[in-house]
Amino acid sequence: MESRTVYYLEGDGIGPEVSAAARPVLDEAVRSAYSGEKELTWQELLAGEKAYSATGSYLPRETLNALRDDAEVALKGPLTTPVGSGFRSLNVTLRQTFDLYACIRPVRYFKGIQTPVKRPQDVDIVVFRENTEDVYAGIEWEAGSPEAKGLIEFMRERYQTDVDPESAIGIKPITEQGSKRLVRRAIRFALQQKRPSVTLMHKGNIMKFTEGAFCSWGFELAREEFGDSCVSEDEARGEGEDRILIKDRIADNMFQQVLTRPSEYSVVATTNLNGDYISDALAAQVGGLGLAPGANVGDDLAVFEATHGSVPKRAGTNSANPSSLILSGALMLEHLGWFEASAKIYRALERTIQKGRVTYDLARLMQGAETVGCKEFAELIAENMDGN
Ligand code: NAD
């Protein structure tokens, strides 16, 4: 019997409901796939409001220690960012503390959902978004502040730049190491999952030394570390090419490509801001964020989490859709190498949606569907696991 420990953080708002609904579905998938030869062991860690009431801290030391010293994977519900100036998001704190540098968001279509596009089934794209750098590094100053004025003045004196002294200023750090480790992960994933291409999405035609460098470093890494298994589009042999194609797309073009020719894209590796935008746009193409899973992955720890927030107004109503967390759990199973169990989840969810008994958010997108609660929807998914 192979047992793996999953550290779980319930989260706030709808978090406890979706977390309690999701765990039995993952257990059922593992049981159904491996008939008792593998199992998950669940270990709770406190975070958010529950942690605050119990310990006086939103992110207690025991939680941080367990994530640092013991955990290989964690399944996290959404955490509310307490309102009040100066409070850092717990989600951002976790990503920074554990250097979870790759944000991975797979986007695929489940039959039965109505979406704004004609061929949502052509979308099967996994976005690898750099998670620590770019304009999201949080280095920015308000217009007119002494810092912004000082920096503008320094740049004028030192580099003869001409920036309006009343400007707000934001800094966009992009490093070779940060870019390469993200692209490395995307290529490894493509190899492992036998995906045909990795597209480097960037805005290097305008921002040459940041976005452009991301792309150049990506190609350099592909050549140096994956020379036998990857090839650029220019050097590809055409028909019969069995190596992974490394494509290069300017960000604005990419937004129209994923609408007009989505089947030509498989894995996308990109910088932080681009990745934020493209993953939500892709999620919309297949029916919205309710079905969008996510993972924040570093070299020592991977935290799998729903992409939505804590939806405080629905807390305690048993109405939220648990799919995003369940699908994040499926990603976690893949991370552990348990692909048979994750495949069970995809098929069971699709089967459940097609039977037309779904949570309110999906019922809105489906003609004649019956609305069921969060717990009941998860139970239906678990019931539909066998016989796949
Ligand atoms: P939200 O995702 O909580 O809610 C936005 C809307 O999306 C909701 O009104 C609801 O209609 C819908 N929705 C989201 N998830 C759903 C689900 N599972 N089932 C059905 N409907 C769903 O976003 P928000 O209102 O901007 O944020 C609320 C809180 O969550 C904030 O404190 C924010 O900081 C936090 N947040 C946390 C995370 C995270 O933990 N990773 C992510 C985003 C927001």
Side-chain angles (χ1 to χ4, degrees):
M1 154 82 76
E2 183 185 349
S3 180
R4 302 294 270 271
T5 302
V6 182
Y7 290 81
Y8 71 96
L9 300 85
E10 282 192 336
D12 298 322
I14 60 167
E17 292 155 66
V18 292
S19 180
R23 291 193 303 276
V25 176
L26 300 180
D27 284 333
E28 183 58 17
V30 172
R31 188 206 58 74
S32 173
Y34 306 114
S35 317
E37 281 172 20
K38 296 182 198 277
E39 69 164 15
L40 298 171
T41 311
W42 298 95
Q43 178 94 39
E44 185 174 5
L45 296 175
L46 294 182
E49 284 152 14
K50 189 172 180 181
Y52 190 77
S53 333
T55 69
S57 163
Y58 284 102
L59 206 48
R61 182 120 317 268
E62 297 75 44
T63 296
L64 292 170
N65 288 348
L67 289 173
R68 190 188 54 236
D69 300 334
D70 308 323
E72 177 191 2
V73 291
L75 187 67
K76 180 186 146 304
L79 289 166
T80 300
T81 302
V83 181
S85 63
F87 198 96
R88 270 169 94 211
S89 150
L90 298 173
N91 304 301
V92 174
T93 305
L94 282 171
R95 282 170 212 162
Q96 289 180 347
T97 306
F98 297 105
D99 196 21
L100 305 176
Y101 59 82
C103 174
I104 307 172
R105 290 187 175 176
V107 189
R108 52 164 288 181
Y109 176 65
F110 290 93
K111 274 188 216 143
I113 305 284
Q114 282 169 16
T115 80
V117 298
K118 286 189 182 147
R119 295 187 55 79
Q121 65 272 26
D122 289 351
V123 178
D124 180 9
I125 297 176
V126 183
V127 178
F128 279 69
R129 166 190 171 196
E130 204 290 323
N131 223 4
T132 62
E133 304 191 331
D134 203 349
V135 282
Y136 282 37
I139 310 168
E140 59 170 22
W141 291 284
E142 201 175 355
S145 65
E147 293 86 354
K149 286 193 161 176
L151 197 57
I152 292 165
E153 179 59 17
F154 171 78
M155 291 191 301
R156 192 185 61 74
E157 277 177 13
R158 184 76 175 261
Y159 302 116
Q160 292 76 53
T161 54
D162 183 19
V163 177
D164 188 320
E166 295 307 318
S167 300
I169 292 280
I171 304 281
K172 181 179 174 76
I174 302 277
T175 65
E176 178 175 349
Q177 188 235 5
S179 304
K180 283 189 169 174
R181 67 181 181 172
L182 187 270
V183 176
R184 181 182 296 116
R185 236 178 213 286
I187 295 178
R188 276 196 191 140
F189 173 88
L191 283 168
Q192 188 192 39
Q193 303 236 345
K194 301 191 174 22
R195 295 243 171 192
S197 68
V198 174
T199 302
L200 303 175
M201 172 187 175
H202 61 94
K203 191 67 189 158
N205 56 329
I206 305 295
M207 292 170 271
K208 294 187 192 311
F209 302 124
T210 49
E211 296 273 328
F214 171 85
C215 179
S216 312
W217 286 322
F219 273 110
E220 196 173 287
L221 174 111
R223 255 193 327 273
E224 286 171 1
E225 295 186 17
F226 301 94
D228 294 339
S229 43
C230 291
V231 64
S232 71
E233 267 181 309
D234 296 343
E235 294 162 356
R237 285 191 293 252
E239 284 291 306
E241 178 59 76
D242 55 0
R243 291 171 292 180
I244 291 175
L245 278 185
I246 306 294
K247 303 183 178 185
D248 162 2
R249 293 289 181 279
I250 302 288
D252 39 351
N253 180 27
M254 192 66 189
F255 275 89
Q256 58 157 329
Q257 294 275 313
V258 295
L259 275 171
T260 55
R261 303 155 84 163
S263 57
E264 291 181 16
Y265 298 93
S266 180
V267 175
V268 173
T270 189
T271 50
N272 207 336
L273 177 64
N274 291 333
D276 198 1
Y277 292 164
I278 196 76
S279 44
D280 273 32
L282 281 168
Q285 277 178 236
V286 297
L289 284 179
L291 289 168
N296 291 294
V297 178
D299 288 331
D300 302 317
L301 174 69
V303 177
F304 297 83
E305 64 174 328
T307 47
H308 58 73
S310 56
V311 199
K313 66 177 184 223
R314 287 197 172 263
T317 64
N318 186 38
S319 60
N321 183 353
S323 304
S324 181
L325 195 62
I326 291 171
L327 290 169
S328 303
L331 272 188
M332 179 185 77
L333 295 171
E334 287 170 15
H335 183 84
L336 295 174
W338 296 8
F339 292 97
E340 298 81 3
S342 69
K344 291 264 179 191
I345 291 175
Y346 299 132
R347 286 198 294 266
L349 176 60
E350 191 155 73
R351 196 175 263 200
T352 310
I353 290 170
Q354 282 173 317
K355 288 185 180 172
R357 298 181 68 207
V358 292
T359 45
Y360 81 95
D361 55 320
L362 298 180
R364 278 182 193 155
L365 302 171
M366 297 164 59
Q367 271 181 353
E370 181 192 337
T371 300
V372 298
C374 172
K375 184 166 182 282
E376 291 70 32
F377 187 53
E379 284 169 356
L380 288 171
I381 299 171
E383 280 168 23
N384 284 324
M385 203 70 75
D386 279 329
N388 287 301

XYZ file of all heavy atoms in Angstrom, residues 18 22-23 25-26 75 104-110 286 288-295 304-308 321-335 341-350 353 362 377 381:
429
model
N -16.267 23.637 0.268
C -15.707 23.021 -0.946
C -14.587 22.035 -0.586
O -14.425 21.003 -1.245
C -15.221 24.070 -2.004
C -16.394 24.820 -2.604
C -14.200 25.024 -1.448
N -14.625 18.181 -1.548
C -13.614 17.720 -2.509
C -12.838 16.495 -2.019
O -12.534 15.592 -2.798
C -12.629 18.853 -2.822
N -12.512 16.456 -0.731
C -11.617 15.379 -0.243
C -12.169 13.970 -0.517
O -11.432 13.126 -1.038
C -11.297 15.601 1.245
C -10.404 16.826 1.470
C -9.814 16.878 2.874
N -10.789 16.867 3.952
C -11.424 17.935 4.421
N -11.171 19.128 3.923
N -12.291 17.836 5.411
N -14.065 13.028 -2.865
C -14.022 12.761 -4.314
C -12.619 12.284 -4.698
O -12.459 11.327 -5.466
C -14.406 14.029 -5.123
C -14.269 13.774 -6.616
C -15.821 14.473 -4.788
N -11.602 12.925 -4.127
C -10.225 12.512 -4.430
C -9.944 11.118 -3.880
O -9.336 10.279 -4.559
C -9.228 13.527 -3.853
C -9.376 14.955 -4.386
C -8.349 15.881 -3.744
C -9.197 14.992 -5.891
N -3.288 21.020 -0.407
C -4.521 21.382 -1.115
C -5.160 22.510 -0.321
O -5.515 22.332 0.842
C -5.459 20.177 -1.198
C -6.711 20.371 -2.046
C -6.336 20.542 -3.528
C -7.658 19.178 -1.884
N 0.470 27.265 -12.334
C 0.068 26.386 -13.443
C -1.453 26.330 -13.503
O -2.112 26.011 -12.515
C 0.642 24.964 -13.241
C 2.155 25.039 -13.020
C 0.301 24.065 -14.428
C 2.787 23.733 -12.631
N -1.997 26.676 -14.673
C -3.453 26.674 -14.824
C -3.862 25.933 -16.101
O -3.777 26.488 -17.193
C -3.986 28.106 -14.873
C -3.874 28.791 -13.541
C -4.562 30.123 -13.579
N -4.557 30.747 -12.282
C -5.019 31.953 -12.047
N -5.531 32.666 -13.037
N -4.987 32.457 -10.841
N -4.318 24.714 -15.968
C -4.803 23.991 -17.146
C -6.223 24.446 -17.483
O -7.031 24.641 -16.586
C -4.840 22.526 -16.701
C -4.382 22.511 -15.291
C -4.365 23.894 -14.766
N -6.495 24.617 -18.744
C -7.837 25.038 -19.165
C -8.333 24.046 -20.206
O -7.711 23.877 -21.262
C -7.817 26.450 -19.782
C -9.249 26.938 -20.012
C -7.070 27.425 -18.883
N -9.441 23.387 -19.907
C -10.015 22.439 -20.864
C -11.533 22.493 -20.760
O -12.087 23.001 -19.791
C -9.525 21.029 -20.599
C -9.712 20.588 -19.170
C -9.588 19.102 -19.008
N -10.745 18.441 -19.565
C -10.924 17.123 -19.539
N -10.010 16.349 -19.020
N -12.011 16.578 -20.028
N -12.169 21.933 -21.758
C -13.623 22.021 -21.834
C -14.266 20.735 -21.312
O -13.764 19.642 -21.566
C -14.034 22.250 -23.299
C -15.517 22.267 -23.514
C -16.305 23.264 -22.947
C -16.139 21.285 -24.288
C -17.674 23.278 -23.146
C -17.510 21.305 -24.499
C -18.266 22.307 -23.918
O -19.621 22.319 -24.106
N -15.356 20.902 -20.580
C -16.151 19.753 -20.170
C -17.476 19.786 -20.922
O -18.181 20.809 -20.891
C -16.371 19.779 -18.654
C -15.117 19.496 -17.893
C -14.296 20.541 -17.467
C -14.709 18.196 -17.634
C -13.113 20.283 -16.788
C -13.528 17.929 -16.961
C -12.731 18.968 -16.539
N -14.055 28.419 -21.921
C -14.605 27.088 -21.633
C -15.690 27.119 -20.558
O -16.133 26.080 -20.097
C -13.497 26.089 -21.223
C -12.517 25.875 -22.367
C -12.773 26.545 -19.976
N -15.836 29.692 -17.715
C -15.639 30.510 -16.520
C -14.741 29.893 -15.470
O -14.277 28.761 -15.583
N -14.527 30.669 -14.406
C -13.546 30.301 -13.387
C -13.989 29.145 -12.493
O -13.163 28.504 -11.859
C -13.253 31.518 -12.495
C -12.350 32.608 -13.082
C -12.187 33.734 -12.089
C -10.990 32.033 -13.455
N -15.291 28.861 -12.458
C -15.803 27.805 -11.570
C -15.197 26.446 -11.861
O -15.172 25.568 -11.004
N -14.694 26.274 -13.081
C -14.116 24.975 -13.455
C -12.614 25.082 -13.673
O -12.023 24.239 -14.338
C -14.785 24.467 -14.737
C -16.238 24.014 -14.583
C -16.880 23.803 -15.933
C -16.300 22.736 -13.766
N -12.001 26.155 -13.157
C -10.580 26.382 -13.437
C -9.723 26.026 -12.218
O -9.819 26.675 -11.189
C -10.359 27.846 -13.822
N -8.885 24.989 -12.350
C -7.998 24.652 -11.241
C -6.674 25.393 -11.334
O -6.352 25.971 -12.375
C -7.766 23.154 -11.442
C -7.835 22.973 -12.922
C -8.763 24.030 -13.460
N -5.904 25.318 -10.251
C -4.605 25.984 -10.282
C -3.619 25.328 -9.332
O -3.999 24.629 -8.386
N -2.344 25.560 -9.617
C -1.284 25.073 -8.735
C -0.205 26.129 -8.650
O 0.088 26.800 -9.643
C -0.686 23.786 -9.290
N -1.823 23.256 -4.322
C -2.892 23.186 -5.326
C -4.096 23.925 -4.781
O -4.509 23.706 -3.650
C -3.200 21.715 -5.627
C -2.001 21.035 -6.228
C -0.992 20.539 -5.407
C -1.833 20.976 -7.596
C 0.150 19.978 -5.952
C -0.690 20.416 -8.150
C 0.295 19.916 -7.324
N -4.650 24.818 -5.604
C -5.750 25.625 -5.066
C -6.735 26.038 -6.144
O -6.385 26.191 -7.318
C -5.208 26.873 -4.366
C -4.486 27.833 -5.274
C -4.099 29.117 -4.544
O -4.823 29.534 -3.634
O -3.062 29.682 -4.909
N -7.989 26.212 -5.711
C -9.015 26.744 -6.603
C -8.596 28.140 -7.044
O -7.939 28.858 -6.285
C -10.342 26.798 -5.860
N -8.971 28.534 -8.258
C -8.568 29.871 -8.710
C -9.533 30.948 -8.213
O -9.216 32.122 -8.244
C -8.478 29.934 -10.244
O -9.637 29.343 -10.782
C -7.269 29.199 -10.755
N -10.709 30.533 -7.750
C -11.665 31.547 -7.262
C -11.354 31.917 -5.814
O -10.512 31.300 -5.157
C -13.100 31.024 -7.393
C -13.345 29.737 -6.652
N -13.440 29.664 -5.287
C -13.488 28.466 -7.094
C -13.655 28.412 -4.925
N -13.678 27.657 -6.009
N -19.776 25.828 -5.997
C -19.314 24.766 -6.889
C -17.943 24.256 -6.407
O -16.976 25.013 -6.379
C -19.188 25.340 -8.300
C -18.784 24.308 -9.311
O -18.473 23.179 -8.970
N -18.784 24.703 -10.579
N -17.844 22.997 -6.027
C -16.550 22.484 -5.533
C -15.599 22.051 -6.657
O -14.495 21.585 -6.393
C -16.974 21.258 -4.718
C -18.208 20.757 -5.413
C -18.909 21.970 -6.006
N -16.008 22.197 -7.929
C -15.230 21.619 -9.044
C -13.819 22.163 -9.138
O -12.876 21.418 -9.453
C -15.920 21.893 -10.379
O -17.211 21.409 -10.372
N -13.663 23.466 -8.919
C -12.338 24.060 -9.082
C -11.342 23.410 -8.111
O -10.207 23.092 -8.480
C -12.434 25.572 -8.865
O -11.188 26.163 -9.040
N -11.779 23.188 -6.874
C -10.877 22.551 -5.903
C -10.693 21.065 -6.227
O -9.592 20.522 -6.093
C -11.411 22.738 -4.475
C -10.399 22.446 -3.376
C -9.199 23.379 -3.450
C -11.022 22.537 -1.992
N -11.762 20.415 -6.685
C -11.644 18.996 -7.067
C -10.657 18.849 -8.228
O -9.788 17.969 -8.228
C -13.035 18.431 -7.449
C -13.914 18.341 -6.201
C -12.908 17.070 -8.131
C -15.373 18.009 -6.480
N -10.772 19.748 -9.208
C -9.855 19.685 -10.360
C -8.425 20.046 -9.946
O -7.457 19.520 -10.505
C -10.341 20.608 -11.473
C -11.627 20.137 -12.181
C -12.174 21.232 -13.084
C -11.362 18.871 -12.990
N -8.293 20.924 -8.952
C -6.951 21.221 -8.429
C -6.385 19.968 -7.774
O -5.192 19.671 -7.878
C -7.003 22.360 -7.407
O -7.579 23.502 -7.982
N -7.259 19.214 -7.108
C -6.856 17.937 -6.521
C -6.426 16.949 -7.608
O -5.483 16.177 -7.422
N -7.112 16.990 -8.757
C -6.727 16.097 -9.871
C -5.318 16.454 -10.359
O -4.495 15.583 -10.642
C -7.735 16.211 -11.009
N -5.054 17.752 -10.410
C -3.691 18.202 -10.779
C -2.669 17.685 -9.776
O -1.560 17.290 -10.141
C -3.618 19.725 -10.709
C -3.985 20.590 -11.871
C -3.604 22.026 -11.533
C -3.209 20.118 -13.089
N -3.060 17.710 -8.501
C -2.159 17.227 -7.452
C -1.864 15.742 -7.656
O -0.719 15.292 -7.510
C -2.819 17.468 -6.090
C -2.015 17.002 -4.909
S -2.955 17.209 -3.403
C -4.067 15.823 -3.501
N -2.894 14.979 -8.019
C -2.678 13.546 -8.272
C -1.701 13.363 -9.428
O -0.831 12.483 -9.394
C -4.018 12.866 -8.567
C -5.014 12.844 -7.391
C -6.380 12.340 -7.843
C -4.480 11.978 -6.251
N -1.821 14.198 -10.453
C -0.883 14.113 -11.588
C 0.534 14.444 -11.118
O 1.504 13.813 -11.529
C -1.303 15.067 -12.709
C -2.529 14.565 -13.445
C -3.129 15.590 -14.390
O -2.468 16.598 -14.710
O -4.280 15.378 -14.802
N 0.640 15.461 -10.248
C 1.943 15.842 -9.705
C 2.577 14.653 -8.975
O 3.795 14.455 -9.006
C 1.750 17.024 -8.760
C 3.006 17.582 -8.185
N 3.784 18.502 -8.838
C 3.631 17.338 -7.007
C 4.823 18.810 -8.087
N 4.756 18.115 -6.973
N -5.875 8.049 -11.504
C -6.876 8.620 -10.597
C -7.365 9.976 -11.110
O -8.569 10.278 -11.047
C -6.283 8.754 -9.194
N -6.464 10.785 -11.640
C -6.919 12.101 -12.130
C -7.810 11.923 -13.363
O -8.815 12.619 -13.505
C -5.735 13.025 -12.425
O -5.021 12.567 -13.536
N -7.482 10.949 -14.216
C -8.322 10.700 -15.395
C -9.735 10.310 -14.963
O -10.728 10.708 -15.581
C -7.706 9.605 -16.260
N -9.835 9.557 -13.878
C -11.152 9.172 -13.344
C -11.957 10.423 -12.984
O -13.163 10.491 -13.217
C -10.971 8.340 -12.071
C -10.376 6.979 -12.305
C -11.480 5.964 -12.407
C -10.910 4.582 -12.676
N -11.935 3.618 -13.026
N -11.283 11.398 -12.391
C -11.984 12.617 -11.966
C -12.512 13.384 -13.176
O -13.662 13.824 -13.190
C -11.055 13.499 -11.098
C -10.808 12.802 -9.765
C -11.661 14.889 -10.884
C -9.833 13.496 -8.867
N -11.679 13.533 -14.212
C -12.137 14.287 -15.390
C -13.360 13.625 -16.009
O -14.344 14.287 -16.346
C -11.014 14.389 -16.438
C -9.784 15.122 -15.940
C -8.516 14.602 -16.122
C -9.907 16.332 -15.270
C -7.386 15.266 -15.646
C -8.780 16.998 -14.794
C -7.530 16.456 -14.984
O -6.427 17.109 -14.502
N -13.286 12.313 -16.109
C -14.426 11.618 -16.750
C -15.663 11.688 -15.869
O -16.783 11.881 -16.356
C -14.047 10.168 -17.064
C -13.084 10.054 -18.253
C -13.055 8.661 -18.817
N -12.493 7.706 -17.864
C -11.204 7.363 -17.841
N -10.358 7.876 -18.694
N -10.760 6.494 -16.959
N -15.488 11.532 -14.548
C -16.651 11.552 -13.645
C -17.298 12.936 -13.618
O -18.525 13.060 -13.597
C -16.210 11.150 -12.239
N -16.475 13.984 -13.645
C -17.046 15.336 -13.638
C -17.832 15.580 -14.930
O -18.950 16.108 -14.903
C -15.926 16.377 -13.477
C -16.376 17.835 -13.547
C -17.385 18.170 -12.450
C -15.177 18.792 -13.426
N -17.247 15.168 -16.037
C -17.918 15.383 -17.320
C -19.251 14.612 -17.365
O -20.282 15.130 -17.765
C -17.015 14.923 -18.459
C -17.523 15.363 -19.811
C -16.390 15.458 -20.810
O -15.892 14.412 -21.247
O -15.985 16.579 -21.135
N -21.808 16.433 -15.202
C -22.334 17.639 -15.870
C -23.344 17.229 -16.947
O -24.430 17.800 -17.051
C -21.176 18.462 -16.485
C -20.335 19.102 -15.380
C -21.720 19.546 -17.431
C -19.041 19.734 -15.868
N -23.255 26.490 -12.675
C -23.248 25.726 -13.916
C -24.660 25.623 -14.478
O -24.859 25.658 -15.696
C -22.670 24.325 -13.690
C -21.214 24.263 -13.223
C -20.768 22.824 -13.048
C -20.302 24.972 -14.219
N -23.417 17.789 -5.175
C -22.738 17.748 -6.478
C -21.468 16.885 -6.385
O -21.207 16.035 -7.237
C -22.400 19.172 -6.934
C -21.844 19.244 -8.334
C -22.516 18.667 -9.400
C -20.660 19.907 -8.592
C -22.008 18.733 -10.692
C -20.144 19.985 -9.875
C -20.825 19.390 -10.932
N -20.441 13.346 -8.292
C -19.174 13.102 -9.015
C -18.554 11.788 -8.518
O -18.123 10.942 -9.308
C -18.192 14.281 -8.836
C -18.794 15.569 -9.411
C -16.855 13.983 -9.516
C -18.004 16.832 -9.093
